[in-house]
Amino acid sequence: MTPAATVALAARRISQAPAPVALLDACALLDVLRVALLRDKPPPSTVVADARRFTNAAHCEPPQVWLIITETARHEISEHLNGVERETLADLTKLDGHVSRVLDALDLFFPNTRLFWNLPGQHLPQLATELRKLVEDVVSASVVLADDDATCIECARIRSTIKHPPAHKKESRKDCEMFEHYLALLRAIRRSGCTSRAVFVTSNSVDFDHAVIRDELQHVGAEMVATLTHAHGLLGRP
């Protein structure tokens, strides 16, 4: 497992080899595993291709993109990956059953319908496994950011106490700590003179899609996007 870097160390590495920066939230990566079932996201082929491009670019020497994930977010992905994979496979299997019934009915009126659309149920477990591997590849290509900086933790505590987004409706200490560490990293690289484009990637619109969050990101030269594909659109395709 990749050891975690402090904010100062991560900032120094990025400043010494400037490249676009993508700050990752766990939910955005778990959505890659769910991508075949999400209607409001980019097409699965695009999401998979962009995730692979990001992974390959992060492995270049020097990196063509910096993928950053906090220790807590990495742990959250590890903790939920098995469950999300099971849920995805169950939903895909259910979809396969629905399609089979629709085709059975259509075949009564339009013979040979099955020749034009046949969902290969035997490949569904492999699909879920490959999507899981893709998520793990993105995580393994990321710089893990230690989220134990005392100043960031105190700022997160205050943010959470006064219900300042992302803790606007509930105490969400983990989200606040992640966001404060990402802000601290961005401030550090800007102080070093690094002007690389940066995005915060999260699909958690309930907690993060607020004007104050966007303003805070703008002040450190970053934007917020919902998917890796949207991140590619802003950062450029490696």
Side-chain angles (χ1 to χ4, degrees):
M1 184 174 290
T2 305
T6 63
V7 169
L9 177 57
R12 185 160 61 249
R13 291 176 62 185
I14 294 170
S15 299
Q16 290 173 347
V21 178
L23 309 163
L24 307 175
D25 192 4
C27 57
L29 293 188
L30 290 173
D31 279 352
V32 173
L33 183 46
R34 304 184 182 103
V35 68
L37 298 163
L38 298 176
R39 296 182 180 180
D40 59 341
K41 303 296 181 184
S45 58
T46 303
V47 173
V48 168
D50 287 335
R52 286 173 173 166
R53 290 190 188 101
F54 262 134
T55 300
N56 292 336
H59 280 306
C60 288
E61 191 59 48
Q64 294 181 16
V65 66
W66 290 98
L67 302 178
I68 310 293
I69 189 167
T70 63
E71 279 187 295
T72 300
R74 179 176 67 173
H75 176 73
E76 185 178 344
I77 290 171
S78 177
E79 187 177 50
H80 291 94
L81 207 51
N82 286 337
V84 174
E85 182 181 10
R86 286 194 299 270
E87 291 170 9
T88 299
L89 179 56
D91 289 342
L92 288 171
T93 302
K94 185 184 298 184
L95 175 62
D96 184 36
H98 290 326
V99 171
S100 294
R101 292 183 64 83
V102 171
L103 292 175
D104 186 63
L106 283 172
D107 210 42
L108 294 173
F109 303 97
F110 309 99
N112 300 320
T113 300
R114 291 180 183 274
L115 296 177
F116 300 99
W117 186 10
N118 183 24
L119 189 62
Q122 67 270 23
H123 294 306
L124 295 180
Q126 184 179 354
L127 173 60
T129 298
E130 291 299 323
L131 289 171
R132 176 195 175 120
K133 288 180 180 177
L134 183 59
V135 174
E136 292 173 332
D137 287 345
V138 175
V139 173
S140 67
S142 301
V143 173
V144 180
L145 188 68
D147 45 12
D148 58 357
D149 181 89
T151 301
C152 292
I153 291 174
E154 176 60 15
C155 289
R157 185 193 67 78
I158 296 171
R159 185 186 286 266
S160 180
T161 300
I162 65 175
K163 299 295 185 290
H164 189 74
H168 61 293
K169 291 184 179 179
K170 64 182 189 308
E171 181 175 346
S172 183
R173 186 73 62 85
K174 288 193 298 183
D175 284 342
C176 292
E177 289 180 354
M178 173 188 66
F179 192 61
E180 286 292 344
H181 280 82
Y182 283 160
L183 289 177
L185 175 62
L186 290 168
R187 292 189 196 103
I189 65 173
R190 298 312 181 206
R191 285 196 300 269
S192 74
C194 179
T195 59
S196 297
R197 299 199 70 172
V199 294
F200 171 48
V201 189
T202 181
S203 58
N204 181 2
S205 59
V206 172
D207 293 328
F208 283 103
D209 192 9
H210 299 277
V212 290
I213 294 286
R214 294 185 182 279
D215 286 346
E216 287 180 278
L217 288 170
Q218 184 178 10
H219 288 158
V220 287
E223 298 180 62
M224 182 169 61
V225 296
T227 69
L228 290 178
T229 292
H230 293 130
H232 262 297
L234 287 177
L235 299 181
R237 298 180 179 273

